[in-house]
């Protein structure tokens, strides 16, 4: 995969997940046995993250050489969100239905993998020598 494709997938993933979650948050709260506040928080963070990586996508197309700090921030944000997902899994694990636990596991793995791929492919493409 090319760096631009990775950033694009990252942005679209965040935006789609956030918007979909926002549209059906009461259903997700019931399905996962989570508070609506938690589901709304996750939706808003996903939308904000999708916007950030979308801006990075647009900037990367013009001049990737100056984007190292933004890519590092992207990697840290993905890593932090993976940590959030796994912490929530531990924190609310026994109170959450299996659908909620599965959601947190899959989202955590997805963003951790994105952080790794971005560190291995995107970051070297913007690194100043």
């Amino acid at each position: 995969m090319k760096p631009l494709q990775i950033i694009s997938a990252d942005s679209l993933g965040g935006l789609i997940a956030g918007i979909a979650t926002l549209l059906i948050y009461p259903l997700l709260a019931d399905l996962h046995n989570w508070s609506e506040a938690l589901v709304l928080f996750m939706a808003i963070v996903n939308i904000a993250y999708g916007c950030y990586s979308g801006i990075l996508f647009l900037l990367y197309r013009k001049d990737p050489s100056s984007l190292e700090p933004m890519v590092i921030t992207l990697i840290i944000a993905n890593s932090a969100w993976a940590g959030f997902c796994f912490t929530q899994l531990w924190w609310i694990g026994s109170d959450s239905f299996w659908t909620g636990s599965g959601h947190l596991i899959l989202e955590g793995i997805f963003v951790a993998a994105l952080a790794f791929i971005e560190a291995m492919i995107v970051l070297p493409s913007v690194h100043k020598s």
Side-chain angles (χ1 to χ4, degrees):
M1 282 186 91
K2 296 178 183 174
L4 200 55
Q5 293 171 320
I6 295 166
I7 299 169
S8 173
D10 199 352
S11 176
L12 289 174
L15 289 170
I16 290 168
I19 292 168
T21 301
L22 192 60
L23 291 174
I24 61 169
Y25 77 90
L27 175 66
L28 284 176
D30 288 342
L31 182 66
H32 296 339
N33 195 34
W34 294 349
S35 70
E36 287 186 359
L38 174 63
V39 179
L40 284 172
F41 173 74
M42 292 179 73
I44 290 166
V45 169
N46 274 296
I47 291 168
Y49 181 83
C51 290
Y52 177 82
S53 53
I55 290 167
L56 182 58
F57 170 82
L58 295 173
L59 294 173
Y60 189 97
R61 290 178 46 206
K62 291 185 180 207
D63 180 21
S65 65
S66 64
L67 300 177
E68 187 172 2
M70 286 185 75
V71 172
I72 291 170
T73 301
L74 187 72
I75 293 165
I76 291 169
N78 271 329
S79 301
W81 192 248
F84 171 82
C85 289
F86 296 131
T87 301
Q88 288 303 309
L89 181 64
W90 171 78
W91 184 257
I92 62 173
S94 62
D95 294 333
S96 181
F97 295 150
W98 67 269
T99 55
S101 297
H103 180 133
L104 290 169
I105 290 168
L106 291 174
E107 187 165 350
I109 290 170
F110 179 76
V111 294
L114 273 174
F116 178 77
I117 291 167
E118 288 163 350
M120 300 305 292
I121 297 173
V122 179
L123 187 58
S125 75
V126 298
H127 182 69
K128 296 178 186 176
S129 12

